[in-house]
Short mmCIF file of all heavy atoms in Angstrom, two decimals:
data_model
loop_
_atom_site.label_atom_id
_atom_site.label_comp_id
_atom_site.label_asym_id
_atom_site.label_seq_id
_atom_site.Cartn_x
_atom_site.Cartn_y
_atom_site.Cartn_z
N VAL A 18 119.98 -27.79 -31.70
CA VAL A 18 120.65 -27.26 -32.90
C VAL A 18 120.11 -25.87 -33.21
O VAL A 18 120.85 -24.96 -33.60
CB VAL A 18 120.44 -28.23 -34.08
CG1 VAL A 18 120.99 -27.62 -35.36
CG2 VAL A 18 121.19 -29.54 -33.80
N LEU A 19 118.80 -25.72 -33.13
CA LEU A 19 118.15 -24.44 -33.47
C LEU A 19 118.54 -23.35 -32.51
O LEU A 19 118.77 -22.17 -32.90
CB LEU A 19 116.64 -24.58 -33.51
CG LEU A 19 116.06 -25.49 -34.60
CD1 LEU A 19 114.55 -25.61 -34.43
CD2 LEU A 19 116.35 -24.91 -35.99
N PHE A 20 118.61 -23.66 -31.21
CA PHE A 20 118.85 -22.63 -30.18
C PHE A 20 120.00 -23.15 -29.30
O PHE A 20 119.84 -23.43 -28.11
CB PHE A 20 117.60 -22.43 -29.32
CG PHE A 20 116.35 -22.29 -30.14
CD1 PHE A 20 115.37 -23.23 -30.11
CD2 PHE A 20 116.20 -21.16 -30.91
CE1 PHE A 20 114.22 -23.08 -30.82
CE2 PHE A 20 115.00 -20.99 -31.65
CZ PHE A 20 114.03 -21.98 -31.59
N PRO A 21 121.24 -23.17 -29.85
CA PRO A 21 122.39 -23.72 -29.08
C PRO A 21 122.76 -22.84 -27.87
O PRO A 21 123.25 -23.34 -26.88
CB PRO A 21 123.50 -23.81 -30.08
CG PRO A 21 123.17 -22.76 -31.13
CD PRO A 21 121.64 -22.74 -31.21
N GLU A 22 122.60 -21.52 -28.00
CA GLU A 22 123.09 -20.64 -26.92
C GLU A 22 121.98 -19.72 -26.40
O GLU A 22 121.88 -19.48 -25.21
CB GLU A 22 124.27 -19.83 -27.39
CG GLU A 22 125.50 -20.72 -27.75
CD GLU A 22 126.67 -19.92 -28.26
OE1 GLU A 22 126.43 -18.74 -28.65
OE2 GLU A 22 127.73 -20.48 -28.39
N GLU A 23 121.19 -19.19 -27.34
CA GLU A 23 120.13 -18.26 -26.90
C GLU A 23 118.92 -18.46 -27.85
O GLU A 23 119.01 -19.08 -28.89
CB GLU A 23 120.61 -16.83 -27.05
CG GLU A 23 121.08 -16.41 -28.40
CD GLU A 23 121.56 -14.99 -28.45
OE1 GLU A 23 121.80 -14.43 -27.38
OE2 GLU A 23 121.69 -14.44 -29.56
N PHE A 24 117.79 -17.98 -27.35
CA PHE A 24 116.55 -18.19 -28.09
C PHE A 24 116.54 -17.28 -29.31
O PHE A 24 116.15 -16.11 -29.25
CB PHE A 24 115.36 -17.93 -27.20
CG PHE A 24 114.03 -18.33 -27.78
CD1 PHE A 24 113.58 -19.68 -27.57
CD2 PHE A 24 113.29 -17.48 -28.55
CE1 PHE A 24 112.37 -20.07 -28.09
CE2 PHE A 24 112.06 -17.91 -29.06
CZ PHE A 24 111.65 -19.21 -28.86
N HIS A 25 116.98 -17.84 -30.46
CA HIS A 25 116.99 -17.02 -31.69
C HIS A 25 116.81 -17.96 -32.88
O HIS A 25 117.63 -18.83 -33.14
CB HIS A 25 118.36 -16.31 -31.80
CG HIS A 25 118.46 -15.55 -33.13
ND1 HIS A 25 117.66 -14.45 -33.41
CD2 HIS A 25 119.24 -15.73 -34.20
CE1 HIS A 25 117.97 -14.02 -34.59
NE2 HIS A 25 118.91 -14.74 -35.14
N PHE A 26 115.68 -17.79 -33.51
CA PHE A 26 115.36 -18.71 -34.65
C PHE A 26 115.58 -17.93 -35.95
O PHE A 26 114.77 -17.12 -36.35
CB PHE A 26 113.90 -19.14 -34.57
CG PHE A 26 113.58 -20.34 -35.41
CD1 PHE A 26 113.80 -21.63 -35.00
CD2 PHE A 26 113.10 -20.16 -36.73
CE1 PHE A 26 113.48 -22.69 -35.78
CE2 PHE A 26 112.79 -21.24 -37.53
CZ PHE A 26 113.00 -22.53 -37.05
N GLY A 27 116.75 -18.16 -36.60
CA GLY A 27 117.13 -17.43 -37.80
C GLY A 27 116.38 -17.95 -39.01
O GLY A 27 115.87 -19.07 -39.05
N ILE A 28 116.36 -17.13 -40.06
CA ILE A 28 115.66 -17.53 -41.31
C ILE A 28 116.37 -18.71 -41.96
O ILE A 28 115.67 -19.52 -42.54
CB ILE A 28 115.67 -16.27 -42.27
CG1 ILE A 28 114.82 -16.64 -43.53
CG2 ILE A 28 117.06 -15.86 -42.66
CD1 ILE A 28 113.36 -16.85 -43.24
N ALA A 29 117.67 -18.81 -41.81
CA ALA A 29 118.36 -19.94 -42.38
C ALA A 29 117.91 -21.29 -41.75
O ALA A 29 117.72 -22.29 -42.46
CB ALA A 29 119.86 -19.82 -42.18
N ASN A 30 117.68 -21.25 -40.43
CA ASN A 30 117.23 -22.45 -39.76
C ASN A 30 115.79 -22.79 -40.12
O ASN A 30 115.38 -23.97 -40.15
CB ASN A 30 117.31 -22.27 -38.23
CG ASN A 30 118.73 -22.35 -37.77
OD1 ASN A 30 119.60 -22.90 -38.40
ND2 ASN A 30 118.98 -21.80 -36.60
N MET A 31 115.02 -21.78 -40.42
CA MET A 31 113.63 -22.02 -40.91
C MET A 31 113.67 -22.79 -42.27
O MET A 31 112.92 -23.73 -42.47
CB MET A 31 112.83 -20.75 -41.01
CG MET A 31 112.58 -20.04 -39.74
SD MET A 31 111.68 -18.49 -39.93
CE MET A 31 110.11 -19.10 -40.59
N TRP A 32 114.56 -22.35 -43.16
CA TRP A 32 114.72 -23.03 -44.42
C TRP A 32 115.20 -24.46 -44.22
O TRP A 32 114.73 -25.39 -44.85
CB TRP A 32 115.70 -22.29 -45.31
CG TRP A 32 115.17 -21.04 -45.99
CD1 TRP A 32 115.50 -19.77 -45.71
CD2 TRP A 32 114.20 -21.01 -47.06
NE1 TRP A 32 114.82 -18.88 -46.50
CE2 TRP A 32 113.99 -19.62 -47.35
CE3 TRP A 32 113.51 -21.94 -47.76
CZ2 TRP A 32 113.11 -19.19 -48.33
CZ3 TRP A 32 112.58 -21.52 -48.75
CH2 TRP A 32 112.41 -20.15 -49.01
N GLY A 33 116.12 -24.61 -43.27
CA GLY A 33 116.72 -25.94 -43.02
C GLY A 33 115.71 -26.94 -42.46
O GLY A 33 115.58 -28.10 -42.94
N LEU A 34 114.89 -26.46 -41.52
CA LEU A 34 113.85 -27.34 -40.97
C LEU A 34 112.78 -27.57 -42.01
O LEU A 34 112.22 -28.67 -42.06
CB LEU A 34 113.22 -26.64 -39.74
CG LEU A 34 112.36 -27.56 -38.88
CD1 LEU A 34 113.13 -28.77 -38.35
CD2 LEU A 34 111.78 -26.75 -37.69
N GLY A 35 112.46 -26.60 -42.84
CA GLY A 35 111.50 -26.77 -43.90
C GLY A 35 111.96 -27.85 -44.85
O GLY A 35 111.17 -28.62 -45.42
N SER A 36 113.24 -27.90 -45.16
CA SER A 36 113.77 -28.93 -46.06
C SER A 36 113.65 -30.35 -45.46
O SER A 36 113.35 -31.30 -46.15
CB SER A 36 115.27 -28.65 -46.40
OG SER A 36 116.11 -28.96 -45.29
N GLY A 37 113.82 -30.42 -44.11
CA GLY A 37 113.61 -31.72 -43.50
C GLY A 37 112.19 -32.22 -43.57
O GLY A 37 111.93 -33.39 -43.86
N ILE A 38 111.22 -31.31 -43.29
CA ILE A 38 109.81 -31.70 -43.35
C ILE A 38 109.37 -32.06 -44.75
O ILE A 38 108.70 -33.11 -44.95
CB ILE A 38 108.93 -30.58 -42.78
CG1 ILE A 38 109.31 -30.30 -41.29
CG2 ILE A 38 107.45 -30.87 -42.92
CD1 ILE A 38 108.63 -29.10 -40.72
N THR A 39 109.70 -31.26 -45.73
CA THR A 39 109.23 -31.55 -47.08
C THR A 39 110.02 -32.76 -47.69
O THR A 39 109.45 -33.46 -48.51
CB THR A 39 109.44 -30.30 -47.98
OG1 THR A 39 110.80 -29.81 -47.86
CG2 THR A 39 108.45 -29.23 -47.64
N ALA A 40 111.25 -32.93 -47.29
CA ALA A 40 111.98 -34.09 -47.74
C ALA A 40 111.35 -35.40 -47.22
O ALA A 40 111.31 -36.43 -47.92
CB ALA A 40 113.44 -34.06 -47.32
N ALA A 41 110.81 -35.33 -46.00
CA ALA A 41 110.10 -36.47 -45.47
C ALA A 41 108.86 -36.82 -46.31
O ALA A 41 108.59 -38.00 -46.64
CB ALA A 41 109.65 -36.20 -44.01
N ALA A 42 108.13 -35.79 -46.69
CA ALA A 42 106.94 -36.03 -47.55
C ALA A 42 107.39 -36.58 -48.91
O ALA A 42 106.75 -37.48 -49.47
CB ALA A 42 106.20 -34.68 -47.74
N ALA A 43 108.53 -36.09 -49.43
CA ALA A 43 109.05 -36.60 -50.69
C ALA A 43 109.43 -38.05 -50.59
O ALA A 43 109.23 -38.86 -51.51
CB ALA A 43 110.24 -35.77 -51.15
N MET A 44 109.99 -38.47 -49.42
CA MET A 44 110.34 -39.85 -49.17
C MET A 44 109.13 -40.76 -49.17
O MET A 44 109.14 -41.90 -49.68
CB MET A 44 111.13 -39.98 -47.85
CG MET A 44 112.54 -39.48 -47.93
SD MET A 44 113.54 -40.52 -49.09
CE MET A 44 115.06 -39.58 -49.03
#
């Protein structure tokens, strides 16, 4: 999902992955 076509990690994906990690801690 992060790199579907080429190696490029956008700032939006960083926020998205950060939400997943912190949401896990919240759970």
Side-chain angles (χ1 to χ4, degrees):
V18 173
L19 292 176
F20 313 113
E22 295 177 348
E23 58 182 14
F24 192 89
H25 176 68
F26 196 86
I28 186 66
N30 287 337
M31 293 179 65
W32 284 110
L34 193 59
S36 73
I38 296 172
T39 50
M44 285 295 177

